[in-house]
Amino acid sequence: DVKVTQSSRYLVKRTGEKVFLECVQDMDHENMFWYRQDPGLGLRLIYFSYDVKMKEKGDIPEGYSVSREKKERFSLILESASTNQTSMYLCASRGRLAGGHHGELFFGEGSRLTVL
Amino acid sequence: GENVEQHPSTLSVQEGDSAVIKCTYSDSASNYFPWYKQELGKRPQLIIDIRSNVGEKKDQRIAVTLNKTAKHFSLHITETQPEDSAVYFCAARAPSGGYNKLIFGAGTRLAVHP
């Protein structure tokens, strides 16, 4: 059973603080993703990574950066948190798309961040 | 880029009734359409998906239909049960800049009343 673990379920930070959200997966998946979930807006892709040290911008990358130093770990970084970054953050992983495999996303439990 | 619209945003049904959620997508190159269910306080999980070369797929009480010409796809839940209450997200995947990105709809909150 695939397991995607996010380090913190709930965080409260102050405006201007640096925030690290950590995600670890145990299925040797090549691809990892960070989504942001807001009511009425669905799941919006922030960044994704298809290999170690590789990263690509998603649809809303502004104000965020990511790090993938090891295959199993994908970190989301808020360099200077702002109140409009208060949200639920979901990490996901996916295996390689090959041989008819469609690529199910396996999500973590989510990290609810509040920026005061 | 791809854009996915989902309707309705909320849906309330009586137990035993059917529920239908509809999504439209913009990129005709999209080739994969999954549906995720997110129960309250839990992670989204895949419940059914369909590829662009198939018009319909069923799995017990749930089915998905795809109309490529109109660029819309729908989730059908029959004989709804209280445990079907959740937020449902549709998504579409299209090649974009050499990568395959999954774009989600805004979600539908389904409430099934006993």
Side-chain angles (χ1 to χ4, degrees):
Chain A
D1 213 20
V2 176
K3 193 166 185 181
V4 180
T5 304
Q6 294 183 230
S7 56
S8 305
R9 290 296 303 275
Y10 301 95
L11 301 96
V12 179
K13 298 292 182 180
R14 296 206 173 272
T15 300
E17 280 192 83
K18 192 169 185 176
V19 181
F20 291 88
L21 299 179
E22 305 282 342
C23 176
V24 177
Q25 51 95 2
D26 66 357
M27 282 301 291
D28 201 35
H29 282 168
E30 289 80 7
N31 302 281
M32 296 187 75
F33 306 82
W34 276 105
Y35 285 90
R36 173 175 169 162
Q37 182 176 12
D38 298 288
L41 297 177
L43 304 171
R44 293 181 292 166
L45 182 63
I46 305 171
Y47 266 96
F48 64 101
S49 169
Y50 55 93
D51 204 350
V52 175
K53 297 192 184 296
M54 306 304 289
K55 60 184 179 183
E56 290 293 330
K57 292 180 180 179
D59 299 313
I60 53 165
E62 296 79 18
Y64 303 95
S65 62
V66 290
S67 173
R68 187 139 180 232
E69 295 298 316
K70 293 185 178 181
K71 191 174 185 179
E72 67 270 19
R73 187 180 299 270
F74 192 36
S75 303
L76 180 69
I77 303 154
L78 287 67
E79 293 289 341
S80 178
S82 63
T83 55
N84 62 11
Q85 292 178 309
T86 291
S87 187
M88 171 69 83
Y89 291 88
L90 286 165
C91 174
S93 73
R94 189 195 76 201
R96 190 186 302 273
L97 296 178
H101 176 53
H102 302 168
E104 177 179 354
L105 282 182
F106 294 90
F107 285 91
E109 296 272 358
S111 298
R112 184 167 293 283
L113 172 66
T114 301
V115 183
L116 302 175
Chain B
E2 175 64 281
N3 182 52
V4 177
E5 294 192 0
Q6 183 172 348
H7 300 280
S9 57
T10 60
L11 182 58
S12 183
V13 299
Q14 290 297 126
E15 184 176 359
D17 287 351
S18 294
V20 181
I21 303 170
K22 299 181 180 182
C23 289
T24 59
Y25 61 98
S26 60
D27 191 339
S28 56
S30 289
N31 55 18
Y32 172 64
F33 307 91
W35 287 86
Y36 284 79
K37 175 184 180 183
Q38 186 179 29
E39 297 177 14
L40 189 63
K42 296 190 176 180
R43 69 190 79 195
Q45 291 189 296
L46 179 71
I47 54 171
I48 194 167
D49 56 14
I50 191 168
R51 297 190 74 180
S52 57
N53 58 351
V54 175
E56 183 177 0
K57 184 176 179 181
K58 287 183 180 180
D59 184 4
Q60 298 183 340
R61 296 186 297 108
I62 60 172
V64 57
T65 58
L66 171 66
N67 183 326
K68 284 197 305 181
T69 303
K71 289 190 283 189
H72 68 69
F73 56 112
S74 301
L75 178 72
H76 305 254
I77 306 174
T78 58
E79 300 172 25
T80 53
Q81 301 169 4
E83 52 265 39
D84 295 328
S85 296
V87 178
Y88 292 82
F89 294 98
C90 64
R93 186 175 70 211
S96 174
Y99 305 104
N100 288 283
K101 292 198 306 184
L102 202 59
I103 304 300
F104 285 86
T108 296
R109 184 173 297 278
L110 173 65
V112 180
H113 302 284

